[in-house]
Amino acid sequence: MVTKTIDTLEELVSVALQLGADQVTGWSRREKERAQATPTHRVNLDELKDLIRAGQDPLGEAFCRIRSPEMRRPLGQTYTPEAIVNSMVEWAADAGIPARVVDPGVGSGRYLLAAADRFPRARLVGVDVDPVATLVTRGNLAAAGLASRSQVIHMDYRELDIERVRGKTLYIGNPPYVRHHQIEPHWKRWLLETARLRGLSASGLAGLHVHFFLATATHGQPGDYGAFITSAEWLDVNYGSLVRELLLDSLGGQAVHVLEPTAVPFTDATTTGAITCFKIGSRPASLLLRRVARVQELGKLDGGRKLARARLLESSRWGPLTRVTPKLPEGYVELGELCRVHRGAVTGANNVWITHRGQTDLPESVLFPTVTKARELFMVGTELADANILRVVVDLPVELEVLDATERKAVDRFLRKAKRAGAAEGYIARTRRAWWSVGLRTAAPLLATYMARRPPAFVRNLANARHINIAHGIYPRQALTDLALRRIAEHLRVSVTVGQGRTYAGGLTKFEPKEMERLPVPAPDLLLVP
Ligand SMILES: C[S@@+](CC[C@H](N)C(=O)[O-])C[C@H]1O[C@@H](n2cnc3c(N)ncnc32)[C@H](O)[C@@H]1O
């Protein structure tokens, strides 16, 4: 094999030069110096050109062999396997025809070469901070006969001042994975400041791939689009919120395809990968999320489960949302698409804050009929119509000054007693805005039990009752008619089995709010059929 004869970076640069690297414009001073200092190393150029034109990457392979994974780590130099490059380019071809293709950390130029085939009229732009990478890319582009429509820029991608073109620009590539410890302080400041200018907050703990997403949102114009493969970390960690927010806003997220480590998305590391597709300027109503175990399953990146923007906005971890659910029947959506599920407030001391109406002299305005036992929901069956069967929770305002003098007197008396009972000391009381203010959620139109030895009760709340943490409240994301709400409840009542929750020792089945959001319910058009 001819690449065996390239054993040093110097030899690699020499070969790139002989392949015609100088035909591709935009040389930096460092590239020129490096080229001048490179003695000629003779190899069989025709054989190399044939391999490159056949879609192989002998120079990139030589680079990864000469520079060990440890040496490549500081710049995140892990080159992308061909099958992944192809899937991403196919997605890009389905999503538009770019006038220009930009690879932000071009490496040996794998994406540009694949895109050149698919988009024969597009300009090709590669950016990289490593002069060996830029010289190799130049050699590859020249060998493939693409020099006249190519430009390679030896520069930090964040500093790129990209000229406007007519038509779309496709941003495609594998932004470097470099942890924050290796990112210089001035670049961390850049991240924070650039995010701030967009009204977003960033974290100094963010890896370099997050910088690349932000830089792309900054360089791109509405109509531009792209696909990046990165580590999947940003989906779930705090510092990833910047990427998640960008995708739900100006970066216009379309889809995220998570690749299990079994797919070995990165040759040097067993990491979960994520391919993110975006269309800049299109504030998305939903995103497709998918998880695949093998690269072959990626296809043209057109599959996935549709998740509403509102649901993604409120989720601080997107990873769990990519997990496969049993296939939804035709005409059904997950409850979470239509409604949020919230656990009720924790009082911190039920013996203090829960009482019966007749047993207190507190003013009516601070007493809220509340579902305080799961049994109350099981008992009423389908509808909770009468609040009088419920106990009340004392929910005082944070600002006690809003109470009038008589009310205040009764409240002060009550609080003195509550304090003596230790109600101000507990963890819950100490962590809320005011220890005396339980902070009940607003009344949910549907209430559900979530822990029992039987399927949950789903109850239409006609009594405007509040709930504490023994029940979940189901809150429509958009107004739903009474008929639709009743149909959702009816459907959940007859369809949900204990098997859909988590079963604990002793046979208790529990539905966390996010698990309940994944239950199938009829889609809105079915719900509204009279
Ligand atoms: C994960 S590799 C991807 C290479 C190539 N696009 C591929 O997928 O085969 C990331 C590339 O980004 C380059 N890089 C690292 N930091 C960079 C920066 N700040 N600006 C531009 N390129 C950078 C590295 O040198 C490396 O070539």
Side-chain angles (χ1 to χ4, degrees):
M1 176 83 174
V2 72
T3 55
K4 285 266 165 17
T5 64
I6 305 175
D7 292 325
T8 63
L9 290 183
E10 207 171 49
E11 290 174 7
L12 183 61
V13 168
S14 163
V15 171
L17 294 170
Q18 291 171 69
L19 287 171
D22 62 340
Q23 296 164 27
V24 179
T25 59
W27 281 63
S28 72
R29 191 169 47 82
R30 267 183 70 199
E31 285 179 293
K32 284 182 195 154
E33 284 167 5
R34 183 133 200 167
Q36 273 158 13
T38 301
T40 303
H41 173 71
R42 297 272 168 224
V43 290
N44 184 338
L45 286 180
D46 289 336
E47 196 180 340
L48 271 177
K49 280 183 191 159
D50 287 347
L51 288 173
I52 295 165
R53 287 175 191 154
Q56 295 193 36
D57 183 20
L59 303 195
E61 281 164 18
F63 177 84
C64 294
R65 208 182 54 244
I66 299 165
R67 239 186 221 174
S68 67
E70 292 69 43
M71 288 165 74
R72 283 184 275 119
R73 199 158 296 143
L75 286 180
Q77 294 174 311
T78 305
Y79 290 1
T80 314
E82 187 186 357
I84 294 181
V85 173
N86 289 342
S87 277
M88 290 165 65
V89 171
E90 281 312 307
W91 172 82
D94 274 358
I97 302 177
R100 172 172 68 182
V101 180
V102 174
D103 181 340
V106 73
S108 57
R110 291 183 181 186
Y111 283 94
L112 291 187
L113 270 85
D117 258 5
R118 209 66 181 78
F119 308 115
R121 301 168 73 88
R123 288 209 53 78
L124 310 169
V125 179
V127 184
D128 209 294
V129 275
D130 180 356
V132 177
T134 50
L135 288 165
V136 164
T137 299
R138 292 176 189 285
N140 271 333
L141 290 165
L146 301 167
S148 63
R149 57 180 172 122
S150 301
Q151 183 189 7
V152 172
I153 308 172
H154 173 220
M155 178 187 272
D156 191 302
Y157 177 59
R158 292 163 290 191
E159 281 176 324
L160 187 66
D161 183 11
I162 192 149
E163 60 182 288
R164 294 266 182 108
V165 289
R166 260 171 193 256
K168 295 172 193 298
T169 295
L170 165 66
Y171 291 87
I172 192 165
N174 178 348
Y177 179 74
V178 176
R179 285 180 186 278
H180 80 93
H181 316 89
Q182 280 155 311
I183 297 177
E184 293 160 37
H186 79 277
W187 280 121
K188 292 189 179 193
R189 285 196 294 277
W190 171 88
L191 184 81
L192 268 56
E193 180 57 16
T194 312
R196 196 186 59 77
L197 291 175
R198 306 181 78 86
L200 299 171
S201 56
S203 158
L205 305 180
L208 192 53
H209 56 299
V210 174
H211 292 223
F212 271 51
F213 273 110
L214 181 60
T216 304
T218 307
H219 300 328
Q221 296 296 317
D224 291 350
Y225 69 123
F228 286 161
I229 181 165
T230 60
S231 138
E233 229 172 64
W234 62 263
L235 287 164
D236 294 322
V237 296
N238 286 347
Y239 77 65
S241 66
L242 175 59
V243 179
R244 299 194 295 270
E245 282 169 24
L246 282 171
L247 289 173
L248 290 175
D249 202 63
S250 54
L251 197 56
Q254 301 291 302
V256 182
H257 304 265
V258 170
L259 279 144
E260 300 271 17
T262 46
V264 202
F266 308 107
T267 30
D268 303 324
T270 41
T271 316
T272 310
I275 300 177
T276 308
C277 305
F278 50 88
K279 289 188 180 166
I280 297 176
S282 67
R283 195 166 176 270
S286 62
L287 253 81
L288 290 175
L289 257 56
R290 183 163 69 130
R291 183 173 280 267
V292 300
R294 293 176 322 131
V295 170
Q296 295 87 314
E297 290 168 42
L298 283 175
K300 294 158 96 181
L301 302 179
D302 49 2
R305 193 162 71 94
K306 201 161 149 188
L307 276 127
R309 162 197 184 74
R311 197 160 169 202
L312 292 164
L313 261 179
E314 76 196 22
S315 303
S316 53
R317 297 176 61 219
W318 288 8
L321 298 173
T322 66
R323 305 234 170 245
V324 190
T325 27
K327 206 168 157 29
L328 283 172
E330 187 72 33
Y332 283 71
V333 296
E334 288 184 0
L335 174 63
E337 290 296 297
L338 306 179
C339 302
R340 286 191 188 96
V341 178
H342 287 304
R343 198 192 301 284
V346 181
T347 71
N350 285 355
N351 57 334
V352 172
W353 305 108
I354 301 177
T355 182
H356 289 274
R357 235 205 191 90
Q359 294 176 359
T360 173
D361 61 354
L362 284 168
E364 222 6 65
S365 62
V366 302
L367 300 178
F368 294 85
T370 302
V371 175
T372 56
K373 291 180 180 157
R375 192 167 4 108
E376 294 160 347
L377 292 178
F378 284 123
M379 210 173 63
V380 296
T382 57
E383 281 182 359
L384 174 61
D386 182 6
N388 291 320
I389 64 160
L390 301 172
R391 296 188 292 172
V392 289
V393 167
V394 178
D395 195 4
L396 298 168
V398 172
E399 316 286 350
L400 292 173
E401 295 72 32
V402 300
L403 300 168
D404 68 30
T406 342
E407 290 175 335
R408 184 63 194 263
K409 255 194 194 152
V411 167
D412 285 347
R413 255 194 323 271
F414 170 80
L415 288 182
R416 277 195 296 277
K417 247 170 91 185
K419 223 173 182 174
R420 280 200 299 277
E425 312 303 328
Y427 172 77
I428 299 288
R430 278 187 286 117
T431 47
R432 52 192 180 215
R433 274 181 67 204
W435 70 266
W436 56 82
S437 185
V438 169
L440 289 169
R441 286 190 179 278
T442 53
L446 277 183
L447 292 166
T449 61
Y450 67 89
M451 188 139 90
R453 288 188 171 74
R454 55 201 252 190
F458 292 95
V459 175
R460 179 81 175 90
N461 177 12
L462 301 175
N464 223 18
R466 310 302 179 95
H467 64 291
I468 60 167
N469 63 325
I470 51 83
H472 291 340
I474 302 177
Y475 297 86
R477 293 182 188 280
Q478 280 155 13
L480 285 178
T481 62
D482 178 58
L483 178 65
L485 281 165
R486 272 192 287 124
R487 288 203 168 149
I488 291 177
E490 258 161 38
H491 175 79
L492 291 168
R493 239 175 266 130
V494 295
S495 66
V496 177
T497 63
V498 281
Q500 285 164 293
R502 277 187 213 181
T503 308
Y504 289 82
L508 263 187
T509 298
K510 190 171 176 189
F511 287 80
E512 294 294 347
K514 291 286 166 217
E515 284 162 352
M516 202 167 262
E517 286 187 359
R518 302 201 72 170
L519 295 171
V521 291
D525 39 347
L526 275 186
L527 286 172
L528 295 174
V529 177

